[in-house]
Amino acid sequence: MKEEGQLTEDKMPARRKRSKWTIIQWFVIPLLLLLALGGGMAAGYVILGKKELSDVFQWSTWKHVYDLVFAP
């Protein structure tokens, strides 16, 4: 006869096993989203804004764009 406190094989709590793809997705998807955001901003600045690509990598450029968009 089994004691009440013992867990049988049928009633063992299931442990969720994380696959390597799940772990990779936690890092790859956000990285791809950041790359897409940066590429889209650069393409928009160069193609639509008709500015130089070297200006894209300067912090002052994006601070100016932010100030223009969110100015009171």
Side-chain angles (χ1 to χ4, degrees):
M1 204 166 162
K2 296 181 182 177
E3 297 178 19
E4 285 184 32
Q6 277 187 330
L7 293 175
T8 62
E9 287 184 25
D10 297 337
K11 296 182 180 181
M12 288 286 244
R15 290 186 64 186
R16 184 172 174 210
K17 184 178 177 184
R18 292 191 182 204
S19 69
K20 63 182 175 183
W21 293 112
T22 304
I23 295 170
I24 289 172
Q25 286 175 353
W26 277 94
F27 295 106
V28 172
I29 290 175
L31 179 65
L32 290 175
L33 289 173
L34 287 174
L35 288 173
L37 177 67
M41 287 173 29
Y45 190 77
V46 172
I47 295 170
L48 297 176
K50 298 190 181 8
K51 303 290 182 178
E52 293 185 27
L53 182 63
S54 62
D55 291 342
V56 170
F57 301 109
Q58 295 178 359
W59 179 252
S60 60
T61 300
W62 298 110
K63 184 179 181 318
H64 180 68
V65 170
Y66 180 84
D67 290 340
L68 288 173
V69 171
F70 295 106

